Amino acid sequence: MTSHEKDIKMWTPFTMVLLLVIGLGALVIFYRLVNGLGAATNLNDRFPWGLWIGFDVLGGVAMAAGGFLIAGAVYILNWKKYKPIVRPAVLTAFFGYLLAATAIMFDIGVPWRIWHPAVMWQIHSVMWVVAIHVILYTLTLATESSPMIFEKLKMNAALTFVKKIMVPVVLFGVLLSVLHQSSLGAVYLIVPHKLSNLWYSSQLPTLFLVSAVMMGLSMVSLENIISSKAFNHKPNMEILSGLARGTLIAAVIYGALKLIKLFKGGIGSAFDGSLEANMFLLEMLVGVIIPIVLLLSRKVRASINQILFVDILVVAGILLNRLNVAVFGVYRDQSATGLSYFPTLMEFIVTLALVAAAIFGFKLAAKYLRLFPEPEGA
Amino acid sequence: MAKSVLIDLTRCIGCRGCQIACKEWNERKAKKTEMRGVYTNPPELNSETYTYIKFVEQEKDGVPVWSFIKDQCLHCKDPACVSACPVEALKKTEAGPVTYHFDRCIGCRYCMLACPFYIPKYEWEKAVPWVQKCSFCSERIKADMVPACIKTCPTGTMFYGEYDDVLKEGRSRINKSPGKYVDHIYGEKEAGGTSWMYISNVPFASLGFNANIVNRNFPEYTWKYIGKIPAVIGVVLIVGAATWALTRSKNSDKEE
Ligand code: SF4
Ligand code: SF4
Ligand code: SF4
């Protein structure tokens, strides 16, 4: 079939490790279902949300932003240059959402009621807005990814149909993503007294959206470079530099918004040496400041390895941002009466397992589907 | 029409009768606690404890003063928890109580995060857990009975009645005995106003009342975002469609 299919070895030791981790994760989830959240996690009355919400849900969704950006660039802006990376970008987004949705499913106390928001509308709740978007956008991403499957199964009628409706579907996806990324920030609007001033801002929805753009572009670039290394095909430098420029622009906007906010809220609190201040500085340094400095150099933007380095920084930095908002930013307030939170081994295992499942799924798709279309005419 | 309560902290003697009456009426089990060298027990509200008395000792004019603070859901007028809940498992009733309906709850725990007073608690130890909090004895109120804690209290710490009367009573107690109370009805403005309010002889901040609570309806914070969604939908769809139409012809579509 495709030329690289034979190049991808499925049953490597790495794959075995992935499967092992996924298996462990499944065991933990079983344990959690039987014994409850209290037995499996360190969550408590003062820390109702922890690693799964902070990392898997907030992080997973932000990671998925590349999907709507690249699909939008190709189908709405008609920037055909990015066509070769639409499929991997959309597929990554799909796995990002599956990761988030699975985490939500087992994080909520009553998993089998996950459908309640779909029929019990409460439009005053940001959480309801979030829930509806998870559902709709996961379906949209499935539609956007479906051509690969239809191709494989030789279902030509379905393929033609999906291709026909692709533009409106992509536009719908862009809309849902803009709303979903920002609504995750809006979740925290209601805790002005709990979330530290370093993160709390009436601009939280915008900040979440812009940082998701940074993260999404970096993630697409990252996975292009890594899969080109792993699957032995040459990455398209023009695309990578374009993505790097996009990340830079988003990072500058994000940095400026954060800076304005910081000056308004008293910049001193960022340097008072407290846990939250240090986490904040780490996040800004890794995810925003160093990437901006590096990406400003044209030389960096022309080097695959240096772009890869920046991508890793941005992804790590924004993941840390989400974790900070969910855990470290509220830590001072929530631990005031002595309760504390650090994830259990089981929480870590589930998080690792979800990431492993996403990587494994991506690998399967790369092997069996036409994930990376051959260059034109090849 | 909404019921309301004024807690006069100068009257409470810390007998904890209310804490027990509440457990009995609501059939709440005991939770194992430890000796911690203080009178407050349990240390915080929990899924089996809807109300408890916090013991605070401090000095006023050189003499020790004890304060006993009854804590429970304040039944906000426009509650953060109600606006946060994605499935309407929490409701503000016309009679005053904010009630919880387990048959809808999915267990997302956003109510716990959103509540400025740390009231909703979760049954972490159960495989099928619910949120737990004081219901203002809404079933008793429906039956024209006084809430269990108020019924039990031997000192009349809680003044129960219609919202306007309760607020008036608070004002008049403060005005009638100058110097006895601090001039502040906690809950009159906090979080946009609550159905349960407090008056005290010592400053509220010294009793552990959260001084960071803004005098504003919490649901407004998130509504400012949600209210904009229709506009965002319009803008994205129109701009998106226009962009697509404009850029389509320029780049000739090289289909694979
Ligand atoms: S005190 Fe908290 S739980 Fe009670 S009504 Fe207000 S927001 Fe809801
Ligand atoms: S935990 Fe239950 S009551 Fe609380 S916000 Fe979620 S669904 Fe509503
Ligand atoms: S029953 Fe009355 S006096 Fe006794 S602790 Fe409760 S509020 Fe105070």
Side-chain angles (χ1 to χ4, degrees):
Chain A
M1 279 269 283
T2 56
S3 65
H4 49 260
E5 178 170 321
K6 45 190 173 300
D7 303 342
I8 301 173
K9 277 208 217 72
M10 204 59 223
W11 305 109
T12 58
F14 179 65
T15 311
M16 296 305 171
V17 174
L18 288 182
L19 289 179
L20 183 74
V21 175
I22 296 171
L24 281 177
L27 283 180
V28 172
I29 284 176
F30 179 72
Y31 179 83
R32 174 253 171 272
L33 285 175
V34 174
N35 296 298
L37 281 167
T41 72
N42 269 341
L43 296 172
N44 56 58
D45 278 338
R46 286 271 163 158
F47 287 91
W49 290 354
L51 180 69
W52 292 350
I53 296 289
F55 187 89
D56 307 30
V57 179
L58 298 183
V61 169
M63 253 189 270
F68 91 88
L69 291 166
I70 302 301
V74 171
Y75 288 97
I76 309 294
L77 289 168
N78 286 299
W79 290 353
K80 295 293 177 218
K81 167 171 123 186
Y82 294 99
K83 185 124 193 183
I85 60 166
V86 170
R87 286 185 171 186
V90 168
L91 196 71
T92 311
F94 189 42
F95 285 130
Y97 266 77
L98 283 184
L99 186 151
T102 314
I104 293 174
M105 173 106 179
F106 296 108
D107 186 87
I108 64 171
V110 201
W112 49 94
R113 287 188 173 174
I114 187 107
W115 51 273
H116 273 198
V119 294
M120 301 176 187
W121 288 29
Q122 210 286 74
I123 61 156
H124 287 264
S125 164
V126 186
M127 191 52 76
W128 180 78
V129 174
V130 167
I132 291 299
H133 282 92
V134 175
I135 300 171
L136 289 179
Y137 192 53
T138 308
L139 292 176
T140 309
L141 283 168
T143 314
E144 289 178 9
S145 309
S146 66
M148 274 184 283
I149 305 279
F150 293 145
E151 245 170 45
K152 179 81 183 176
L153 302 175
K154 304 226 161 42
M155 295 168 64
N156 288 329
L159 185 62
T160 324
F161 175 71
V162 176
K163 281 194 170 166
K164 247 197 207 117
I165 59 165
M166 198 49 104
V167 171
V169 169
V170 167
L171 183 54
F172 190 54
V174 171
L175 172 66
L176 292 175
S177 294
V178 167
L179 289 175
H180 192 221
Q181 300 289 356
S182 57
S183 62
L184 285 178
V187 161
Y188 285 89
L189 286 176
I190 205 160
V191 289
H193 52 297
K194 291 188 186 177
L195 181 57
S196 150
N197 244 333
L198 294 170
W199 291 278
Y200 187 84
S201 151
S202 55
Q203 300 285 326
L204 268 170
T206 316
L207 289 169
F208 263 56
L209 180 60
V210 179
S211 53
V213 170
M214 293 167 60
M215 165 94 129
L217 293 176
S218 292
M219 197 62 205
V220 172
S221 162
L222 179 91
E223 114 220 321
N224 256 275
I225 297 174
I226 291 185
S227 53
S228 70
K229 290 196 176 196
F231 307 149
N232 270 323
H233 59 90
K234 241 179 98 67
N236 178 332
M237 212 46 229
E238 214 187 312
I239 291 181
L240 290 182
S241 315
L243 292 172
R245 264 196 317 272
T247 306
L248 176 61
I249 295 170
V252 167
I253 297 175
Y254 183 73
L257 286 172
K258 283 298 262 192
L259 218 58
I260 295 171
K261 157 76 194 151
L262 208 57
F263 274 112
K264 272 205 246 159
I267 194 153
S269 54
F271 299 98
D272 64 8
S274 62
L275 175 69
E276 59 194 43
N278 291 338
M279 292 306 280
F280 175 77
L281 291 179
L282 185 66
E283 160 200 330
M284 290 304 288
L285 221 59
V286 170
V288 187
I289 298 170
I290 300 178
I292 291 182
V293 172
L294 289 177
L295 285 178
L296 278 173
S297 142
R298 190 182 288 267
K299 242 182 44 218
V300 171
R301 295 202 308 264
S303 144
I304 295 183
N305 284 330
Q306 302 196 30
I307 290 183
L308 177 64
F309 178 65
V310 175
D311 289 341
I312 293 173
L313 288 184
V314 172
V315 170
I318 304 301
L319 279 176
L320 185 59
N321 167 261
R322 298 307 196 254
L323 206 56
N324 277 342
V325 169
V327 179
F328 293 103
V330 290
Y331 208 92
R332 184 196 299 251
D333 177 78
Q334 296 189 165
S335 61
T337 54
L339 282 177
S340 61
Y341 170 75
F342 189 80
T344 57
L345 183 60
M346 285 193 262
E347 287 177 80
F348 280 117
I349 290 176
V350 169
T351 295
L352 278 178
L354 288 171
V355 175
I359 298 177
F360 182 65
F362 196 82
K363 195 166 178 184
L364 278 182
K367 181 161 175 69
Y368 295 111
L369 305 171
R370 220 159 63 89
L371 187 54
F372 301 98
E374 259 81 323
E376 316 269 317
Chain B
M1 268 274 314
K3 294 287 183 214
S4 177
V5 175
L6 178 76
I7 299 184
D8 187 337
L9 291 180
T10 64
R11 295 199 181 188
C12 178
I13 54 170
C15 71
R16 284 193 277 231
C18 50
Q19 199 173 317
I20 305 303
C22 174
K23 280 221 176 206
E24 273 188 9
W25 174 257
N26 291 296
E27 299 180 323
R28 298 282 91 201
K29 288 201 219 65
K31 267 219 175 168
K32 211 173 161 53
T33 52
E34 307 164 351
M35 275 292 284
R36 297 176 307 122
V38 290
Y39 291 107
T40 311
N41 191 38
E44 268 201 272
L45 294 177
N46 57 51
S47 58
E48 298 288 346
T49 312
Y50 296 162
T51 188
Y52 80 130
I53 300 291
K54 225 168 44 174
F55 292 68
V56 176
E57 186 190 11
Q58 48 187 336
E59 261 186 30
K60 194 184 179 186
D61 310 326
V63 276
V65 209
W66 278 96
S67 302
F68 315 105
I69 303 119
K70 183 180 181 299
D71 189 20
Q72 74 295 307
C73 174
L74 295 182
H75 300 276
C76 307
K77 290 200 274 182
D78 189 1
C81 63
V82 170
S83 81
C85 179
V87 290
E88 264 188 353
L90 290 157
K91 283 196 187 101
K92 174 77 180 173
T93 59
E94 266 188 30
V98 173
T99 54
Y100 170 70
H101 305 269
F102 75 90
D103 48 319
R104 302 178 76 94
C105 176
I106 60 172
C108 69
R109 313 184 296 280
Y110 188 31
C111 51
M112 302 176 69
L113 186 77
C115 169
F117 304 104
Y118 285 107
I119 299 301
K121 301 294 175 193
Y122 209 53
E123 298 178 326
W124 297 103
E125 64 291 345
K126 296 199 179 154
V128 186
W130 309 126
V131 170
Q132 298 288 353
K133 73 165 197 70
C134 156
S135 68
F136 202 164
C137 284
S138 70
E139 292 304 315
R140 289 177 65 103
I141 290 184
K142 256 188 229 159
D144 248 334
M145 290 153 75
V146 174
C149 56
I150 301 173
K151 175 99 184 159
T152 295
C153 181
T155 63
T157 294
M158 288 162 276
F159 180 87
Y160 169 73
E162 295 301 325
Y163 180 81
D164 292 338
D165 302 337
V166 168
L167 191 58
K168 234 182 273 161
E169 177 71 20
R171 271 272 145 255
S172 84
R173 280 192 201 178
I174 291 176
N175 293 340
K176 252 193 256 160
S177 336
K180 181 173 176 195
Y181 297 97
V182 290
D183 187 16
H184 182 177
I185 300 180
Y186 191 94
E188 182 183 6
K189 300 216 174 78
E190 278 77 9
T194 57
S195 296
W196 284 58
M197 292 173 275
Y198 293 84
I199 52 176
S200 165
N201 52 340
V202 285
F204 285 102
S206 73
L207 299 175
F209 281 77
N210 194 338
N212 294 334
I213 307 280
V214 284
N215 295 344
R216 190 173 150 186
N217 288 350
F218 274 72
E220 283 172 14
Y221 282 103
T222 37
W223 186 251
K224 258 175 75 184
Y225 169 80
I226 300 174
K228 283 193 199 123
I229 290 180
V232 173
I233 295 179
V235 169
V236 172
L237 287 185
I238 292 169
V239 172
T243 314
W244 172 76
L246 286 175
T247 54
R248 187 165 73 124
S249 44
K250 267 200 233 149
N251 306 1
S252 62
D253 207 327
K254 300 180 278 168
E255 253 319 312
E256 342 120 68

